[in-house]
Amino acid sequence: MKNFQLIKALSAGSAVTSISKESSAMFIAGGTNLVDLMKKNVVAPDKLVDITALDLKKIEFLTGKTSIGALAKNSQVAEDKEIIQKHPLLALALAAGASQQIRHMATVGGNMLQRTRCPYFYNTDMPCNKRVPKSGCGAIGGSNRMHAIFGASDSCIAVHPSDMCVALAALDATVLVEGPKGKREIKFTDFHRLPGNTPEKDNTLQNKELITSIEIPNNNFTKNVHYLKVRDRSSYAFALVSVAVALEISNNTITNARLAMGGVAHKPWRLNESEEFLKGKTVSETVFKQAADLAMKGARGYGDNNFKLTLGPNAITEALTIASSK
């Protein structure tokens, strides 16, 4: 790890100003991903701007929405009694992520910005277009068991590793940011990017913007929800496939549905067609299997990850079945 300057910001405005002065400067909060990347020389900022003193840790239940500060810890959000009551899908997804120790350090904003866990990205001796643009993608034709089956490109087949983000995509959250050009809002489903020809760009943040909070609109997804995470071991492992399900059910009929998948794309993968298909349908295994098959349209394996083409619809069916039975 190379030497770097560390400064502490006392306001969002001063944080943005500080980071704008150097092209390689970066924000740091919990550091659970950034420090690992620095140790492995994947990133090498000249300056880190510590934002942990900023007043961005609150969880507020406002008229029509829930606001969660970008510096709220993952464990704080997952264990908040009102979050569990109003947005249980988010609590379930957070509880499935990382380890308890990491959840106590990791922040909501940092979780959103974490980089892929693709081994080619972490190994500086291997080609990776995400780390070094135009150098090639080692995972295509290489070891790709954990990799994407949706939305990939000839440049990159890496996946986004977050569990929290899958739930936030399903819940139609909004991201609030502040930067040199002022404040703006981004739909959560538009926040993360597909790789295309620029896989080095993980998200739609503009230069030097700071995430200040996320907002979740009020909803009725308080009962029939489930977050299913299929992984190699039950603790501290990233998803092979995950599924976030939120349903509204009345008299055994689905009146509203939200579905998203993790571990399958460069961003949380929202299943809009399946959601529309489920609305007005009677709860049944047949309907759930049809929705799962519809969700897999366009899926493509790359060799080692071909099993996801079967695991994916099975996981969707199981998650829908569990959510509907609550």
Side-chain angles (χ1 to χ4, degrees):
M1 184 190 298
K2 79 170 190 179
N3 292 333
F4 58 89
Q5 180 186 9
L6 178 66
I7 63 172
K8 198 173 188 72
L10 299 179
S11 70
S14 66
V16 170
T17 300
S18 296
I19 202 171
S20 299
K21 293 178 180 178
E22 291 188 30
S23 60
S24 71
M26 301 179 73
F27 297 120
I28 187 168
T32 56
N33 185 211
L34 178 57
V35 172
D36 282 345
L37 294 171
M38 292 172 64
K39 287 178 179 178
K40 293 180 179 294
N41 294 312
V42 175
V43 297
D46 293 314
K47 177 194 288 186
L48 291 181
V49 178
D50 181 352
I51 58 172
T52 55
L54 305 191
D55 184 23
L56 300 176
K57 301 178 179 70
K58 296 177 183 176
I59 301 174
E60 298 179 287
F61 300 92
L62 309 174
T63 302
K65 62 188 177 183
T66 298
S67 175
I68 303 174
L71 292 179
K73 298 294 181 64
N74 285 182
S75 57
Q76 174 192 354
V77 181
E79 296 165 10
D80 185 277
K81 291 181 179 180
E82 286 198 71
I83 290 289
I84 293 170
Q85 181 181 13
K86 294 177 181 292
H87 304 295
L89 181 61
L90 176 58
L92 289 171
L94 281 165
S99 64
Q100 186 174 11
Q101 293 88 344
I102 289 177
R103 291 196 297 271
H104 283 323
M105 286 297 297
T107 63
V108 167
N111 189 313
M112 291 168 58
L113 295 175
Q114 64 181 302
R115 309 298 303 275
T116 183
R117 263 53 180 196
C118 174
Y120 296 96
F121 175 70
Y122 272 80
N123 187 341
T124 56
D125 293 327
M126 300 298 292
C128 173
N129 288 320
K130 179 176 282 296
R131 179 171 30 81
V132 183
K134 311 301 182 184
S135 63
C137 176
I140 298 177
S143 176
N144 50 45
R145 181 171 176 270
M146 300 293 292
H147 290 67
I149 56 173
F150 293 113
S153 71
D154 292 339
S155 297
C156 180
I157 61 172
V159 298
H160 192 267
S162 172
D163 294 294
M164 179 196 76
C165 290
V166 182
L168 290 174
L171 294 172
D172 283 335
T174 299
V175 186
L176 279 63
V177 303
E178 183 173 337
K181 297 181 180 180
K183 299 178 181 181
R184 68 186 181 109
E185 299 181 2
I186 310 168
K187 287 179 58 178
F188 200 89
T189 48
D190 293 334
F191 181 80
H192 297 98
R193 296 166 51 103
L194 293 178
N197 295 322
T198 54
E200 69 276 12
K201 297 179 180 179
D202 288 336
N203 55 63
T204 56
L205 283 176
Q206 295 175 2
N207 191 36
K208 308 306 181 185
E209 283 187 320
L210 171 70
I211 300 170
T212 56
S213 65
I214 61 163
E215 293 180 348
I216 307 171
N218 289 354
N219 58 64
N220 295 318
F221 301 118
T222 57
K223 179 183 178 184
N224 297 112
V225 303
H226 189 63
Y227 186 75
L228 177 65
K229 182 175 182 178
V230 183
R231 46 187 163 175
D232 288 323
R233 59 182 185 273
S234 60
S235 176
Y236 194 32
F238 297 101
L240 295 168
V241 168
S242 65
V243 184
V245 172
L247 303 174
E248 287 183 54
I249 300 175
S250 178
N251 297 322
N252 210 39
T253 298
I254 300 168
T255 59
N256 200 1
R258 302 280 178 79
L259 290 89
M261 297 182 74
V264 295
H266 200 257
K267 60 183 290 183
W269 193 251
R270 183 76 177 264
L271 306 179
N272 293 298
E273 278 194 76
S274 296
E275 292 175 357
E276 290 302 316
F277 170 81
L278 285 167
K279 292 177 184 178
K281 299 292 194 305
T282 300
V283 171
S284 73
E285 183 180 1
T286 298
V287 166
F288 293 160
K289 286 183 176 180
Q290 290 172 336
D293 289 341
L294 186 61
M296 299 304 292
K297 286 172 57 177
R300 174 193 173 187
Y302 288 86
D304 294 344
N305 71 344
N306 286 350
F307 70 94
K308 291 190 180 185
L309 302 177
T310 301
L311 179 61
N314 288 344
I316 294 169
T317 301
E318 181 178 351
L320 284 166
T321 300
I322 296 171
S324 66
S325 67
K326 294 182 178 181

